[in-house]
């Protein structure tokens, strides 16, 4: 989905507060357990649920090999579609095997994660709304471009997605734009809130002609940095 709906805002806030309250290294077994456990918070792709275990696919930065996460501790996430991107809070349990990790999951969130495939413009690029964001991080994992930042909270739905300039799709540098449209909420801004996005760009990235993907962002934190290059 590309629209943020405010009905999910309180749930995400509660999630983030809960995560913040937990230290990166925890003692999950109580005062008598001296084990140190590392908890992670990653973008993953939901692959399905079977036998009380949810399966996710994790991709590290760049072109790292995919790792399957077999997550216990979660009820069947009936509202998730196979292939949907989520943020998962988990720790690895047992001994890792090649390409597979058994994990214990505590949380996941999808409602406020903008997740979509790369779109292509149907009108001139300059006619699309590109309201500002506070960009904190932008990175690639396999065929996905991911972001973490803040957007202005308005109390209304919005759109957030990546759009390629169709005129550059067969060039060695593909121009991609972060479209952020406040729509009817643009006159009722209240404050900034955290946002996340994970967009599949593989159809352009894996073209033999593509050598660089140039992501254009309107960022109020670093306004002088108008674009970011991801090179093969």
């Amino acid at each position: 989905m590309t629209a943020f709906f405010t009905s999910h805002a309180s749930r995400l806030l509660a999630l983030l507060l809960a995560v913040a309250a937990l230290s990166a290294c925890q003692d999950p077994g109580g005062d008598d357990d001296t084990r140190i456990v590392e908890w992670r918070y990653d973008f993953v792709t939901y692959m399905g649920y079977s036998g009380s275990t949810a399966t996710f696919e994790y991709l590290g930065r760049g072109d790292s090999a995919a790792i399957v996460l077999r997550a216990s501790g979660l009820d069947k996430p009936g509202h998730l579609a196979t292939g949907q991107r989520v943020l998962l809070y988990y720790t690895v349990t047992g001994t890792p095997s090649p390409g597979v990790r058994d994990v214990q999951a505590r949380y996941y969130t999808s409602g406020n994660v903008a997740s979509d495939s790369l779109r292509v413009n149907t009108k001139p690029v300059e006619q699309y709304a590109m309201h500002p964001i506070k960009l904190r991080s932008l990175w690639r994992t396999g065929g996905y471009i991911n972001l973490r930042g803040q957007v202005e909270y308005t109390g209304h739905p919005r759109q957030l997605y990546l759009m390629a300039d169709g005129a550059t799709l067969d060039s060695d540098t593909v121009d991609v734009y972060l479209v952020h449209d406040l729509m009817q909420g643009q006159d009722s801004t209240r404050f900034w809130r955290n946002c996340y996005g994970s967009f599949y760009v593989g159809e352009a990235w894996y073209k033999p002609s593509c050598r660089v993907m140039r992501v254009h962002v309107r960022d109020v934190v670093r306004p002088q940095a108008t674009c970011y290059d991801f090179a093969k």
Side-chain angles (χ1 to χ4, degrees), residues 85-122:
R85 297 284 279 174
V86 302
L87 279 168
L88 183 70
Y89 186 58
Y90 68 96
T91 187
V92 177
T93 59
T95 302
S97 57
V100 179
R101 303 288 187 273
D102 289 319
V103 305
Q104 178 187 351
R106 286 200 171 177
Y107 305 100
Y108 70 88
T109 183
S110 61
N112 283 282
V113 176
S115 178
D116 197 6
S117 294
L118 183 67
R119 304 186 185 189
V120 180
N121 61 311
T122 57

Side-chain angles (χ1 to χ4, degrees), residues 204-227:
W205 175 257
Y206 293 122
K207 277 177 170 283
S209 57
C210 177
R211 307 309 305 164
V212 174
M213 180 165 286
R214 179 164 293 160
V215 181
H216 299 258
V217 181
R218 186 181 173 194
D219 179 18
V220 298
V221 177
R222 292 171 295 276
Q224 71 281 6
T226 59
C227 61

Side-chain angles (χ1 to χ4, degrees), residues 5-229:
F5 292 94
T6 57
S7 61
H8 296 287
S10 59
R11 181 163 61 87
L12 180 61
L13 178 59
L15 170 67
L16 294 175
L17 289 174
V19 171
L22 294 166
S23 62
C25 291
Q26 298 188 10
D27 173 5
D31 293 339
D32 295 331
D33 192 336
T34 59
R35 293 175 301 164
I36 301 300
V37 179
E38 179 185 0
W39 291 88
R40 299 176 58 93
Y41 201 37
D42 290 321
F43 275 118
V44 295
T45 303
Y46 176 63
M47 305 303 292
Y49 191 92
S50 177
S52 74
T53 299
T55 303
F56 301 90
E57 182 183 68
Y58 166 75
L59 293 169
R61 287 181 180 258
D63 296 304
S64 301
I67 296 175
V68 174
L69 304 180
R70 298 186 299 210
S72 60
L74 292 177
D75 293 332
K76 184 176 182 179
H79 64 287
L80 292 183
T82 300
Q84 188 170 346
R85 297 284 279 174
V86 302
L87 279 168
L88 183 70
Y89 186 58
Y90 68 96
T91 187
V92 177
T93 59
T95 302
S97 57
V100 179
R101 303 288 187 273
D102 289 319
V103 305
Q104 178 187 351
R106 286 200 171 177
Y107 305 100
Y108 70 88
T109 183
S110 61
N112 283 282
V113 176
S115 178
D116 197 6
S117 294
L118 183 67
R119 304 186 185 189
V120 180
N121 61 311
T122 57
K123 56 186 179 182
V125 169
E126 59 271 14
Q127 294 183 17
Y128 287 82
M130 297 181 191
H131 292 109
I133 78 164
K134 291 182 178 180
L135 185 64
R136 302 304 183 189
S137 184
L138 188 72
W139 71 102
R140 181 180 68 84
T141 55
Y144 293 90
I145 296 292
N146 310 289
L147 70 85
R148 180 177 67 88
Q150 291 180 309
V151 294
E152 295 174 283
Y153 175 76
T154 65
H156 296 279
R158 72 183 68 219
Q159 289 187 315
L160 185 69
Y161 60 90
L162 283 183
M163 178 191 69
D165 181 354
T168 69
L169 279 177
D170 294 320
S171 303
D172 59 357
T173 299
V174 179
D175 286 298
V176 174
Y177 295 81
L178 180 66
V179 177
H180 177 214
D181 189 351
L182 293 177
M183 300 189 290
Q184 70 266 36
Q186 58 186 298
D187 296 324
S188 57
T189 297
R190 300 177 185 177
F191 56 85
W192 293 81
R193 69 181 180 91
N194 292 329
C195 75
Y196 304 89
S198 186
F199 309 101
Y200 183 71
V201 299
E203 290 187 4
W205 175 257
Y206 293 122
K207 277 177 170 283
S209 57
C210 177
R211 307 309 305 164
V212 174
M213 180 165 286
R214 179 164 293 160
V215 181
H216 299 258
V217 181
R218 186 181 173 194
D219 179 18
V220 298
V221 177
R222 292 171 295 276
Q224 71 281 6
T226 59
C227 61
Y228 296 85
D229 285 353

